[in-house]
Amino acid sequence: MNRAISPNGRIISLEAGAYTAGIATVGAGIQSLSYGEQSLVLPFDPDKVPHAYAGKTLAPWPNRIDSGKYVFRGRSYEVPVNEASTGTALHGLVVWDEWQVAGESAGSVILTNMLHGQPGYPHQLHLWAEFSLAADSGLTVTIQATNAGRTAAPYGVSSHPYLVAGGKAVDECEVSFTAAQVLMTDDRLLPLELKETAGSEFDFSRPRLLGGMSLDHAFTGLPDDGWQVTLRDPATGAATVLSTPAGREGSVWLQIYSGEELGRRGMAVEPMTCPPDAFNTGTDLIVLEPGDEHRFSYSISAG
């Protein structure tokens, strides 16, 4: 009898101090992350296809491309539209790929993926993702892309964890982060204009309850010395923190999604190198020349 195949590939268990994690080889995803009895991300069933991109690594673009069409260096390209409701190409090309295990220990795993390209993205990228647990700092994720081909490649990257705090719905949690601007979008979630957050409903510089507020917005103007998002259960003080470093491995954009597709049981906190539709607008788009490398990292820990 053939052995059943999991839609998430292999779940690799990591442990360091009070932290434990499960990393899925399909999509290089965070299947679970806990500190003691406290879940820090919303886990998904290892035997089911995860909904709403839970935990996935997003490359070679995060977020959306309008109608799946873009122009790069004078040539037009078209990638498949995979979100019918907005008519956009969402979250890149590798979320359903089986990544290969290149290294593994009790507290860390390295996964790799060779993106060979396709007509709408005819570039060859070697992708490398390391998930490392430390007893004093939680889970650090580092994603590297190397242009292994002969042509320059447009590139962006993100990750899609859903943070949780104290087992509460996000409506009952406090949210805090510092961002000077928020990107306003149309009904297809494509960019319109930047708006200052100060004094607006999008100002989370001081912790406040999310309540019934619906968010699916990209923020920028993040602190130059690194930034963090904290989701906290005010009843118990249990908190989860996602942070990025300063410098070239950090992130200049942040997507916050209040998780309606998952019943608002977790809040997606997505550090991004570029905003929605960057392949068309060029905003903070990374261009990898042949041989170029790009590294990106973030951490999730108990607060």
Side-chain angles (χ1 to χ4, degrees):
M1 181 180 294
N2 292 332
R3 183 180 178 184
I5 298 174
S6 167
N8 294 293
R10 179 183 166 201
I11 304 297
I12 299 169
S13 297
L14 307 180
E15 184 175 351
Y19 285 99
T20 56
I23 306 301
T25 56
V26 170
I30 304 171
Q31 181 267 329
S32 64
L33 176 63
S34 298
Y35 181 74
E37 298 299 315
Q38 177 188 346
S39 287
L40 305 181
V41 305
L42 188 66
F44 58 81
D45 188 334
D47 295 321
K48 295 181 180 180
V49 174
H51 191 50
Y53 296 90
K56 297 288 190 178
T57 294
L58 314 178
W61 69 86
N63 221 290
R64 291 164 176 82
I65 298 176
D66 185 4
S67 303
K69 300 177 181 179
Y70 67 98
V71 176
F72 179 68
R73 294 195 170 176
R75 294 191 61 181
S76 297
Y77 299 95
E78 186 171 354
V79 292
V81 167
N82 61 351
E83 189 176 59
S85 61
T86 61
T88 61
L90 183 63
H91 290 335
L93 301 173
V94 299
V95 293
W96 308 115
D97 284 0
E98 173 83 19
W99 292 52
Q100 304 304 306
V101 178
E104 183 180 353
S105 68
S108 68
V109 63
I110 296 172
L111 303 178
T112 63
N113 182 295
M114 187 66 231
L115 179 60
H116 288 276
Q118 57 175 258
Y121 190 85
H123 312 289
Q124 292 70 52
L125 300 183
H126 181 254
L127 301 172
W128 174 97
E130 181 178 20
F131 301 83
S132 180
L133 273 183
D136 59 349
S137 56
L139 179 68
T140 296
V141 180
T142 303
I143 302 166
Q144 178 174 301
T146 302
N147 186 342
R150 296 183 174 89
T151 58
Y155 178 73
V157 63
S158 181
S159 190
H160 209 298
Y162 284 85
L163 304 191
V164 295
K168 298 293 182 63
V170 297
D171 307 62
E172 301 175 67
C173 293
E174 292 179 340
V175 181
S176 60
F177 60 90
T178 299
Q181 296 173 309
V182 60
L183 184 64
M184 307 308 294
T185 58
D186 62 16
D187 58 359
R188 297 172 61 215
L189 298 176
L190 294 167
L192 292 174
E193 62 179 352
L194 284 171
K195 176 182 177 179
E196 298 298 312
T197 61
S200 78
E201 63 179 326
F202 299 102
D203 187 349
F204 289 90
S205 56
R206 294 184 177 180
R208 63 183 178 91
L209 285 174
L210 188 63
M213 185 178 184
S214 180
L215 285 171
D216 198 355
H217 293 76
F219 294 81
T220 192
L222 304 166
D224 291 336
D225 57 350
W227 55 264
Q228 66 180 36
V229 177
T230 301
L231 186 69
R232 180 178 177 272
D233 174 7
T236 64
T240 302
V241 179
L242 186 147
S243 59
T244 71
R248 64 184 300 270
E249 291 190 18
S251 170
V252 294
W253 287 87
L254 162 67
Q255 185 84 13
I256 299 287
Y257 169 52
S258 45
E260 279 74 4
E261 289 196 34
L262 294 173
R264 295 176 67 94
R265 292 179 294 122
M267 185 177 76
V269 178
E270 307 162 51
M272 302 188 298
T273 57
C274 60
D277 209 26
F279 272 35
N280 282 304
T281 67
T283 303
D284 291 321
L285 183 67
I286 296 163
V287 176
L288 295 174
E289 299 290 344
D292 281 357
E293 295 182 348
H294 177 269
R295 286 172 66 94
F296 157 87
S297 68
Y298 69 94
S299 298
I300 303 174
S301 63

